Amino acid sequence: MAELATIARPYAEALFRVAKGADLAVWSSLVAEMAQVAANPDLQAFAHNPKIADADVESTFLSAIKSPVSAEAKNFISMLIENGRLGLLPEIDVQFQVLKNTLEGAADAEIVSAFDLSTTQVSELIATLEKKFGRKLNPLVTVDPSLIGGVRVVVADEVLDTSVRAKLQQMQLALTA
């Protein structure tokens, strides 16, 4: 069977072409919300039940979305349901966000810190990281006390790990080599 990313790519690209002609930020949040709803295990079980009509799956899915849904988005959902591809929405969202970031010259930055960071600290860190990576970054900050201190930043396939845990691991490798 083909990889989910391979199957989701044409859907994400088609949806992105539609979104580029409208408000990309609105579409981005709508696609993220639709992906979150589609990832719900109860909804997936409901959608895969052969006794449930596609129209019922569509109305149930749309009722779970709080954002306003355009006619294009309804058509997209309807087509996914008809083709049994509603479960692809989380991967479609990932690829949609990559396309959006590429268009905007931006990237998502996963920032994991040992402690809570203030808004000022995050702003300063992002400013420094944007200079280092040469593009606008969209931060997603989480806390992981196991880092002991410092931060770990992941941007696309690049990792910048300045955590105490990483430094201790490097020291351990150096001492055992």
Short mmCIF file of all heavy atoms in Angstrom, two decimals, residues 4-5 8-9 12-13 15-16 28 31-32 35-36 88-102 108:
data_model
loop_
_atom_site.label_atom_id
_atom_site.label_comp_id
_atom_site.label_asym_id
_atom_site.label_seq_id
_atom_site.Cartn_x
_atom_site.Cartn_y
_atom_site.Cartn_z
N LEU A 4 0.92 7.14 3.29
CA LEU A 4 -0.13 8.15 3.48
C LEU A 4 0.28 9.49 2.87
O LEU A 4 -0.53 10.19 2.29
CB LEU A 4 -0.43 8.34 4.96
CG LEU A 4 -1.23 7.23 5.65
CD1 LEU A 4 -1.46 7.58 7.11
CD2 LEU A 4 -2.55 7.00 4.95
N ALA A 5 1.56 9.83 3.01
CA ALA A 5 2.03 11.11 2.48
C ALA A 5 1.87 11.16 0.96
O ALA A 5 1.51 12.20 0.41
CB ALA A 5 3.49 11.33 2.87
N ALA A 8 -1.86 11.60 0.24
CA ALA A 8 -2.38 12.89 0.70
C ALA A 8 -1.86 14.07 -0.12
O ALA A 8 -2.53 15.10 -0.19
CB ALA A 8 -2.04 13.09 2.17
N ARG A 9 -0.70 13.92 -0.73
CA ARG A 9 -0.07 15.06 -1.42
C ARG A 9 -0.97 15.71 -2.47
O ARG A 9 -1.14 16.94 -2.45
CB ARG A 9 1.26 14.63 -2.05
CG ARG A 9 2.01 15.78 -2.70
CD ARG A 9 3.42 15.40 -3.13
NE ARG A 9 4.21 15.03 -1.96
CZ ARG A 9 4.63 13.80 -1.69
NH1 ARG A 9 4.37 12.82 -2.51
NH2 ARG A 9 5.32 13.55 -0.60
N ALA A 12 -3.68 17.74 -0.75
CA ALA A 12 -3.15 18.95 -0.10
C ALA A 12 -2.83 20.02 -1.14
O ALA A 12 -3.13 21.20 -0.94
CB ALA A 12 -1.91 18.61 0.72
N GLU A 13 -2.23 19.61 -2.26
CA GLU A 13 -1.88 20.57 -3.30
C GLU A 13 -3.13 21.19 -3.92
O GLU A 13 -3.17 22.40 -4.18
CB GLU A 13 -1.01 19.91 -4.36
CG GLU A 13 0.38 19.58 -3.85
CD GLU A 13 1.20 18.73 -4.80
OE1 GLU A 13 0.64 18.20 -5.80
OE2 GLU A 13 2.41 18.57 -4.55
N LEU A 15 -6.11 21.51 -2.51
CA LEU A 15 -6.72 22.38 -1.49
C LEU A 15 -5.91 23.67 -1.35
O LEU A 15 -6.49 24.75 -1.20
CB LEU A 15 -6.79 21.64 -0.16
CG LEU A 15 -7.62 22.29 0.94
CD1 LEU A 15 -9.06 22.49 0.50
CD2 LEU A 15 -7.57 21.44 2.20
N PHE A 16 -4.60 23.57 -1.44
CA PHE A 16 -3.75 24.75 -1.33
C PHE A 16 -3.98 25.71 -2.50
O PHE A 16 -3.99 26.93 -2.32
CB PHE A 16 -2.28 24.34 -1.25
CG PHE A 16 -1.36 25.48 -0.96
CD1 PHE A 16 -1.31 26.04 0.30
CD2 PHE A 16 -0.55 26.01 -1.94
CE1 PHE A 16 -0.47 27.11 0.58
CE2 PHE A 16 0.29 27.06 -1.68
CZ PHE A 16 0.34 27.62 -0.41
N SER A 28 -5.89 27.86 6.50
CA SER A 28 -4.93 27.12 7.30
C SER A 28 -5.54 26.67 8.62
O SER A 28 -5.41 25.50 9.02
CB SER A 28 -3.70 28.00 7.56
OG SER A 28 -2.78 27.33 8.37
N VAL A 31 -8.29 23.96 7.88
CA VAL A 31 -7.72 22.64 7.56
C VAL A 31 -7.19 21.99 8.84
O VAL A 31 -7.39 20.78 9.04
CB VAL A 31 -6.61 22.76 6.49
CG1 VAL A 31 -5.90 21.44 6.29
CG2 VAL A 31 -7.21 23.24 5.16
N ALA A 32 -6.56 22.77 9.70
CA ALA A 32 -6.07 22.22 10.97
C ALA A 32 -7.22 21.71 11.83
O ALA A 32 -7.13 20.64 12.45
CB ALA A 32 -5.26 23.28 11.72
N ALA A 35 -8.60 18.51 10.35
CA ALA A 35 -7.69 17.40 10.62
C ALA A 35 -7.86 16.88 12.04
O ALA A 35 -7.85 15.68 12.28
CB ALA A 35 -6.26 17.84 10.38
N GLN A 36 -8.05 17.81 12.97
CA GLN A 36 -8.23 17.42 14.37
C GLN A 36 -9.53 16.62 14.54
O GLN A 36 -9.56 15.62 15.24
CB GLN A 36 -8.24 18.66 15.24
CG GLN A 36 -8.23 18.37 16.71
CD GLN A 36 -8.14 19.65 17.55
OE1 GLN A 36 -8.43 20.74 17.08
NE2 GLN A 36 -7.74 19.49 18.79
N LEU A 88 -7.30 10.71 5.88
CA LEU A 88 -6.09 11.36 5.38
C LEU A 88 -5.95 12.81 5.83
O LEU A 88 -4.89 13.42 5.65
CB LEU A 88 -6.06 11.35 3.84
CG LEU A 88 -5.70 10.07 3.13
CD1 LEU A 88 -5.76 10.27 1.63
CD2 LEU A 88 -4.32 9.60 3.54
N LEU A 89 -7.01 13.37 6.37
CA LEU A 89 -7.00 14.80 6.70
C LEU A 89 -5.83 15.23 7.60
O LEU A 89 -5.25 16.28 7.36
CB LEU A 89 -8.33 15.23 7.31
CG LEU A 89 -9.27 15.89 6.31
CD1 LEU A 89 -10.66 16.06 6.89
CD2 LEU A 89 -8.75 17.20 5.80
N PRO A 90 -5.43 14.46 8.61
CA PRO A 90 -4.27 14.90 9.38
C PRO A 90 -3.00 15.03 8.53
O PRO A 90 -2.25 16.00 8.66
CB PRO A 90 -4.12 13.82 10.46
CG PRO A 90 -5.51 13.31 10.64
CD PRO A 90 -6.12 13.34 9.26
N GLU A 91 -2.77 14.10 7.63
CA GLU A 91 -1.59 14.19 6.74
C GLU A 91 -1.77 15.30 5.71
O GLU A 91 -0.81 15.98 5.36
CB GLU A 91 -1.34 12.84 6.04
CG GLU A 91 -0.13 12.85 5.15
CD GLU A 91 1.18 13.14 5.86
OE1 GLU A 91 1.32 12.80 7.05
OE2 GLU A 91 2.08 13.71 5.21
N ILE A 92 -2.99 15.50 5.23
CA ILE A 92 -3.26 16.61 4.31
C ILE A 92 -2.94 17.92 5.00
O ILE A 92 -2.34 18.82 4.40
CB ILE A 92 -4.73 16.56 3.82
CG1 ILE A 92 -4.94 15.36 2.90
CG2 ILE A 92 -5.10 17.86 3.11
CD1 ILE A 92 -6.40 15.08 2.56
N ASP A 93 -3.30 18.04 6.28
CA ASP A 93 -3.01 19.25 7.05
C ASP A 93 -1.51 19.48 7.15
O ASP A 93 -1.03 20.60 6.95
CB ASP A 93 -3.63 19.16 8.45
CG ASP A 93 -3.27 20.35 9.33
OD1 ASP A 93 -3.33 21.50 8.84
OD2 ASP A 93 -2.92 20.13 10.50
N VAL A 94 -0.75 18.44 7.44
CA VAL A 94 0.71 18.57 7.55
C VAL A 94 1.29 19.11 6.24
O VAL A 94 2.08 20.06 6.23
CB VAL A 94 1.36 17.21 7.92
CG1 VAL A 94 2.86 17.25 7.75
CG2 VAL A 94 0.98 16.82 9.34
N GLN A 95 0.87 18.52 5.13
CA GLN A 95 1.40 18.94 3.84
C GLN A 95 0.90 20.32 3.44
O GLN A 95 1.63 21.09 2.81
CB GLN A 95 1.07 17.90 2.78
CG GLN A 95 1.82 16.60 3.06
CD GLN A 95 1.76 15.62 1.93
OE1 GLN A 95 1.57 15.98 0.78
NE2 GLN A 95 1.92 14.35 2.26
N PHE A 96 -0.33 20.64 3.80
CA PHE A 96 -0.88 21.97 3.54
C PHE A 96 -0.04 23.03 4.27
O PHE A 96 0.30 24.07 3.70
CB PHE A 96 -2.34 22.04 3.98
CG PHE A 96 -3.03 23.34 3.67
CD1 PHE A 96 -3.72 23.50 2.48
CD2 PHE A 96 -2.99 24.40 4.56
CE1 PHE A 96 -4.36 24.71 2.18
CE2 PHE A 96 -3.62 25.60 4.28
CZ PHE A 96 -4.31 25.75 3.08
N GLN A 97 0.29 22.77 5.53
CA GLN A 97 1.07 23.72 6.31
C GLN A 97 2.47 23.89 5.73
O GLN A 97 3.02 24.99 5.73
CB GLN A 97 1.14 23.29 7.79
CG GLN A 97 -0.20 23.20 8.49
CD GLN A 97 -1.05 24.44 8.41
OE1 GLN A 97 -0.57 25.56 8.34
NE2 GLN A 97 -2.37 24.26 8.39
N VAL A 98 3.05 22.81 5.22
CA VAL A 98 4.37 22.90 4.59
C VAL A 98 4.29 23.78 3.35
O VAL A 98 5.15 24.64 3.12
CB VAL A 98 4.91 21.49 4.24
CG1 VAL A 98 6.12 21.57 3.32
CG2 VAL A 98 5.25 20.73 5.51
N LEU A 99 3.25 23.59 2.54
CA LEU A 99 3.07 24.42 1.34
C LEU A 99 2.88 25.89 1.72
O LEU A 99 3.45 26.79 1.09
CB LEU A 99 1.88 23.93 0.53
CG LEU A 99 2.05 22.58 -0.17
CD1 LEU A 99 0.71 22.06 -0.68
CD2 LEU A 99 3.06 22.67 -1.28
N LYS A 100 2.11 26.14 2.77
CA LYS A 100 1.87 27.51 3.24
C LYS A 100 3.18 28.13 3.71
O LYS A 100 3.50 29.27 3.35
CB LYS A 100 0.85 27.50 4.37
CG LYS A 100 0.58 28.86 5.00
CD LYS A 100 -0.44 28.72 6.13
CE LYS A 100 -0.64 29.99 6.88
NZ LYS A 100 0.38 30.23 7.90
N ASN A 101 3.94 27.39 4.51
CA ASN A 101 5.22 27.90 5.00
C ASN A 101 6.19 28.18 3.85
O ASN A 101 6.90 29.18 3.87
CB ASN A 101 5.85 26.93 5.99
CG ASN A 101 5.18 26.97 7.34
OD1 ASN A 101 4.47 27.91 7.68
ND2 ASN A 101 5.37 25.92 8.12
N THR A 102 6.21 27.31 2.87
CA THR A 102 7.09 27.51 1.72
C THR A 102 6.72 28.78 0.97
O THR A 102 7.60 29.56 0.59
CB THR A 102 7.02 26.29 0.77
OG1 THR A 102 7.38 25.12 1.51
CG2 THR A 102 7.94 26.45 -0.42
N ASP A 108 8.13 25.94 10.59
CA ASP A 108 7.69 25.69 11.96
C ASP A 108 8.91 25.37 12.81
O ASP A 108 9.81 24.65 12.37
CB ASP A 108 6.70 24.53 12.01
CG ASP A 108 5.37 24.87 11.37
OD1 ASP A 108 5.00 26.05 11.37
OD2 ASP A 108 4.71 23.95 10.85
#
